[in-house]
Amino acid sequence: MPGPMVEPGPELSNAYMPQNRPPGAEWNACPGSGGVGTDMPASTASLHRIPSVPLSPGDEVDVRVYNDTSFTGVFSVNMDGTLTVPYLKDLKVAGLTTDEAEKRFARALVDAGFYPSTSVRVSIKPKRWAPIQISVAGAVFQPGRALVGERKPEIVGEDQLGDSTPGRYLSYAIKGAGGIRPYADLRHVQFIRGQHTRTIDLTGVFTGAAVDDPPIIFGDRVVVPSSGCIQSNYIRPSQITPPGIRVFLSNLTVPAAGNAQSAVTTQATNVPYGTRLLQGAISANCVGGTRTVNAARSVVLVTRNPITGETEVVERSIEALVTEKYRDAVNPYLMPGDGLACYDSAVTNGRQVAGTISEILATYVIARGL
């Protein structure tokens, strides 16, 4: 059982909400972070311009040359980013849009002597977009290489052209890395392709402003920097945050002798992102019942400190979480992988002790009678 509980005031909440402290942060929350983000500048991205998706290794394209079947067919982009076509040298097409690939293909036909520059007509259309790998680092839950654009096999007709590719954009790459952490600096997301770096503002995902969401290709990198403080309005399901999280609950209490009897099921352990400790305690059936018996119960949060990487344990009184005026200051958000455990009140513990003593005495009397 953890040690005695300390009830901090709102000004000390940082010291008792370790999982909400980003590396290097002096304060727990960003100024104005409790609102809907109206203090954030709106993105200047166009609402109407949707950029074309560049080609990546594995993509399938339908190539057609007017009145010529020799160069017509469905081709896949090789792992080195080239397109292998009969009678031509391999063409480098990775990173090009289909319009740009058409021009390069036409130029290759002209340079090889198959057509004069005035009569060649080439069409290259997407047939099927492949999943790609991209590296995501910084303030995300699962930094590293993320596979985005993966989907179930589909039956595509031979004559069908075009393909939807929702997973081939920056926002999906970030979500593929587990989503942003609450201290992410969304105004300065770094999008790196080769030697070129763009700074992108993604705050519109939460404010409703237009968002510049560029298409990605194999080998791109994304770095989400830290703002040094918590943006509480980022702790909710969105396009770049987890829709839900998995927490570990334990409620071994009387009269329930196991988690199953306490209704701690799979549904209870999978909660929406943005769930707080009190809501998690309710999900674990730690709250409610007879006030005189259950009011003094407590809940323990086991979490990982993002600064040190060490496990920390925080205990809260159920009654304080329910009745305190400043409950939000002592009611942290749950993060993926957190653990919750419920402990009984002194009344329940005393009843258990008394029951145990009674059982021992009854056993002793029966033994003496024999």
Side-chain angles (χ1 to χ4, degrees):
M1 178 76 178
M5 181 186 65
V6 179
E7 293 290 359
E11 72 282 355
L12 296 179
S13 62
N14 177 56
Y16 295 91
M17 297 168 71
Q19 83 282 20
N20 285 352
R21 280 203 309 267
E26 296 181 0
W27 301 101
N28 190 48
C30 298
S33 65
V36 294
T38 54
D39 59 321
M40 300 178 185
S43 171
T44 57
S46 170
L47 281 170
H48 305 290
R49 182 179 63 85
I50 301 178
S52 300
V53 178
L55 296 171
S56 280
D59 290 342
E60 290 185 0
V61 292
D62 181 275
V63 178
R64 301 186 186 187
V65 178
Y66 182 69
N67 278 340
D68 193 335
T69 59
S70 300
F71 304 103
T72 295
V74 176
F75 303 94
S76 295
V77 180
N78 300 320
M79 290 306 298
D80 62 355
T82 62
L83 204 64
T84 300
V85 181
Y87 313 116
L88 293 177
K89 293 181 180 180
D90 287 354
L91 302 175
K92 188 73 173 181
V93 295
L96 303 180
T97 65
T98 52
D99 289 343
E100 294 168 337
E102 285 177 357
K103 296 176 181 177
R104 180 163 294 187
F105 197 105
R107 172 51 55 187
L109 290 174
V110 173
D111 292 345
F114 290 106
Y115 287 91
S117 59
T118 56
S119 63
V120 61
R121 295 172 61 184
V122 176
S123 168
I124 297 181
K125 302 300 179 185
K127 184 76 172 179
R128 182 173 177 82
W129 300 106
I132 62 173
Q133 287 186 333
I134 183 171
S135 297
V136 184
V140 293
F141 282 108
Q142 298 173 8
R145 299 187 73 180
L147 183 66
V148 296
E150 192 173 20
R151 55 190 182 181
K152 296 180 180 180
E154 301 172 4
I155 299 177
V156 180
E158 293 183 2
D159 298 328
Q160 179 179 328
L161 297 179
D163 190 23
S164 174
T165 173
R168 292 278 289 268
Y169 289 89
L170 174 63
S171 58
Y172 281 83
I174 294 176
K175 192 149 190 174
I180 63 164
R181 288 184 176 271
Y183 50 83
D185 180 4
L186 294 185
R187 295 186 182 92
H188 302 97
V189 176
Q190 302 297 303
F191 180 48
I192 306 167
R193 178 174 295 169
Q195 302 300 317
H196 302 282
T197 300
R198 288 176 57 191
T199 299
I200 296 177
D201 183 356
L202 293 179
T203 55
V205 172
F206 294 92
T207 64
V211 176
D212 183 11
D213 193 8
I216 57 177
I217 63 174
F218 178 85
D220 284 347
R221 291 181 293 149
V222 179
V223 178
V224 182
S226 170
S227 65
C229 56
I230 296 296
Q231 289 279 4
S232 61
N233 53 306
Y234 290 173
I235 311 178
R236 64 176 177 85
S238 76
Q239 193 177 9
I240 56 175
T241 53
I245 61 174
R246 174 74 183 273
V247 295
F248 300 92
L249 307 180
S250 176
N251 186 8
L252 302 179
T253 182
V254 176
N259 282 335
Q261 292 172 285
S262 298
V264 179
T265 62
T266 301
Q267 190 173 15
T269 59
N270 291 283
V271 297
Y273 186 55
T275 298
R276 287 181 178 263
L277 177 60
L278 178 56
Q279 294 167 304
I282 294 173
S283 182
N285 279 338
C286 295
V287 183
T290 306
R291 181 178 292 273
T292 55
V293 174
N294 294 330
R297 298 190 73 196
S298 62
V299 59
V300 171
L301 170 65
V302 182
T303 187
R304 186 174 294 276
N305 189 313
I307 300 175
T308 64
E310 297 179 353
T311 299
E312 298 191 8
V313 179
V314 181
E315 185 178 6
R316 293 286 183 265
S317 162
I318 295 292
E319 187 71 4
L321 288 175
V322 172
T323 61
E324 281 293 325
K325 179 180 179 181
Y326 298 106
R327 66 175 62 88
D328 283 351
V330 295
N331 187 25
Y333 291 97
L334 300 181
M335 293 291 133
D338 281 356
L340 271 68
C342 303
Y343 284 90
D344 291 322
S345 65
V347 174
T348 304
N349 290 336
R351 186 172 60 188
Q352 271 291 91
V353 171
T356 302
I357 294 175
S358 298
E359 290 177 3
I360 293 174
L361 291 176
T363 303
Y364 176 75
V365 170
I366 294 172
R368 286 290 301 272
L370 295 176

